[in-house]
Amino acid sequence: MRIAVCIKQILDPRAVRLSRSREAIDPRQAARIVNPPDRYALEAALRLRERHGGEVIALSVGARDVSDALREALAMGADRAILLSDEMLAGADASGVARALARAVEHIGDVSLVLTGERALDTGGGTLPARLAQELGWPVVTDASEPQLEDSILRAFQRDEKQRWSVSVALPAVLAVTRQREKPRYPPALRIAWAYREAEVETWDCDDLGLSPEEISARHTEERNLVMPPERNLGFILSGSPEEAARSLVAELRGKRLI
Amino acid sequence: MLRPLRGLSMTEGNSARHSLKAKTMQDLSYLEALMGEPVGEEGYRDIWGLASAVEGRLSDLSLQTVGKARGLADGLGAYVRFLLAGAPDEETAQTLIAHGADYVYLAPGQADAETLAAFLRERKPEIVLLDDSITNRALAARVAQALDASLVTEAEDVRADPIDRALLVTRPIYEGIASQVIACLAKPQIVTVRAGAFPLPYPDRSRTGSIEQLSASWQPDAVQYEPAPEVASPPALTTARIVVSAGRGMEDAEGFALVQQLAARLGAAIAGDRGALDMGWIGPEQQVGALGVIVTPALYIACGIEGTTEHYLGMEGARAVIALCRESDAPLLKAADWGIIGSPKEIVRALVEAMG
């Protein structure tokens, strides 16, 4: 079975800071990492391969430096890594990226499962898995965990806002995974050395995929200004009896939508 | 002198030309609404929504969404049209109307992307509002991709640009450290609205609207869903949105049990400081601090932690901090957004109760 895993390179969201004076994101402290949910997707793909055989192909979109993310995927155990890199793709939004990834999955051929993280933790809206499924004409299961394969039926769990579901879907399908019990593996040293020194990251451009500029470059949305969260006012003590203080704290938290 | 039009906020600094442009657009839209047919080459008009009735009820989020749709529609001179899926009846349709809908279309069953996309392609809405949920996000994404529409998920705020009618939607980025305003360039403009982003509208039972039964039906989903047993699995510490952390101030096992109750109530991860580790309540992988785990949740609740520097370095990245301390000179109180001084055990018990 061929499994394609779509990964995104992002700025480490835990190290991104806000610059209030410039009303902008300050990325200077933030390293470029593989989007954490995508690493769980890769782990899930590797586990499926271990049980059922086949091939795991890591896919990403971006400039040449994104190949580092793909090398990490190779180190973890992916069989192939393909980077979709083209100037035309640089300005593409979620719709264009989904289209390019879908075309790449078709171009690879014989892929029966596409795995990806539930969302990108930078500015992602969590729409890519469903967009990709739409382009491929496949069903999608989002926010899935513990994928299992029985014959060509994929089973997984999904937790929505209310409850947990057991879902099953016939392949081919797109599956967007949440953080799983099984943590992404740490690659062995030899494999890391191989991935960064010798392994090949294939690079495809729009010509290889037969994509025309009109298909991917249309802009549907435009980012405008940032809205800063209110300044924190530290050291505020709630008074009264424990019950009174607790009630006013809960009201504060609900008002600020923290709970 | 141009008078500001109803529902249009004329911000300072708009030139007279802009105001005139806005006025013409407003009037054009009213004309369209009155004529009942599209004017202009695009013809994208009205605000559509999708709500789902479960056991004769609509969720609070659906009511917030229809209320927001009403507000936008008043500003833009448009009608609010809602598809009512699930198990709709006359009464839930009337509830939608009372909260702001003009037209309700009963469409029993579970909405699917193909049918919805085909429907919207024909109806050409200017705006589509959906409740933000896991299911609706995937539905909206498929529809947006099929229609080449603009889509913004998890909206915290939605307003229409008074000049060109484009929606300006605010949504969180980088797991909520700030919010980004996103302008919609393509039509239809699809937005999924976050729970609690907008107030629950006051129902007006005297509002009238039209209710129609749709003949077309939804397609079955290729994915089979069956209810699965719940497994209580607290979220991972480093990625949890809320972390509840215990310290020696919780006194004993009973105190720590209260902390566990609070965490379960909030769906939060459980952690502790060095003191909690020494008491045997938590494992080393749950110890927050420079020498343990570094956490960056949206909310960090420290129960009975006075606060050492070592602990502080592990949680300084939290976006909001609550400190429940016995001593009024506890160092953590100075680093907390809210502090309560007293017996941590009693306060945690009161908190669990106050959350209902």
Side-chain angles (χ1 to χ4, degrees), chain A residues 95 119 122 125 131 134-135 138 159 161 164 166-168 179 220 222 224-225 227 232 235-236 238 257-258, chain B residues 134 142 145 148 150 153-154 174 179-181 183 185 196 224 226 228-230 239 241 318 336-337 339:
Chain A
S95 154
R119 66 160 66 228
D122 53 353
R131 288 178 181 274
Q134 180 66 22
E135 285 295 320
W138 296 359
R159 180 184 293 285
E161 289 73 14
R164 192 159 170 264
S166 164
V167 298
S168 55
R179 298 173 181 100
H220 303 84
E222 183 179 270
R224 297 270 172 90
N225 55 305
V227 181
R232 285 169 73 181
F236 183 76
L238 294 153
R257 281 191 254 126
L258 282 164
Chain B
I134 281 168
R142 290 197 88 127
Q145 190 72 14
D148 251 318
S150 42
T153 55
E154 297 167 286
Y174 285 103
S179 298
Q180 172 99 56
V181 178
L185 306 178
Q224 307 287 321
E226 278 167 42
E230 286 293 328
T239 52
R241 212 182 71 79
D337 298 68

Side-chain angles (χ1 to χ4, degrees), chain A residues 75-110:
Chain A
M76 277 174 71
D79 300 287
R80 277 171 79 187
I82 302 168
L83 175 65
L84 313 180
S85 191
D86 196 305
E87 270 177 34
M88 283 196 310
L89 277 168
D93 58 14
S95 154
V97 168
R99 213 158 270 165
L101 285 171
R103 203 61 68 83
V105 167
E106 286 162 358
H107 199 73
I108 293 166
D110 208 23

Side-chain angles (χ1 to χ4, degrees), chain B residues 5 32 103 188 227-228 302:
Chain B
L5 288 152
E32 279 181 3
Y103 294 85

Side-chain angles (χ1 to χ4, degrees), chain B residues 335-356:
Chain B
D337 298 68
W338 298 280
I340 302 178
I341 299 162
S343 155
K345 241 168 127 174
E346 274 176 43
I347 299 165
V348 173
R349 189 178 285 129
L351 268 177
V352 174
E353 261 170 39
M355 280 166 197

Side-chain angles (χ1 to χ4, degrees), chain B residues 243-255:
Chain B
V243 172
V244 177
S245 192
R248 223 185 266 276
M250 294 313 297
E251 296 174 37
D252 48 24
E254 185 203 351

Side-chain angles (χ1 to χ4, degrees), chain B residues 25-73:
Chain B
M25 287 206 164
Q26 174 92 343
D27 288 348
L28 199 69
S29 170
Y30 264 122
L31 189 65
E32 279 181 3
L34 289 170
M35 305 260 297
E37 59 186 14
V39 179
E41 51 181 338
E42 277 195 333
Y44 285 99
R45 45 196 218 87
D46 289 347
I47 301 178
W48 281 77
L50 172 70
S52 189
V54 181
E55 291 164 3
R57 281 198 70 242
L58 292 160
S59 69
D60 280 358
L61 175 53
S62 293
L63 297 179
Q64 290 164 1
T65 305
V66 70
K68 183 63 198 175
R70 179 76 261 152
L72 284 169

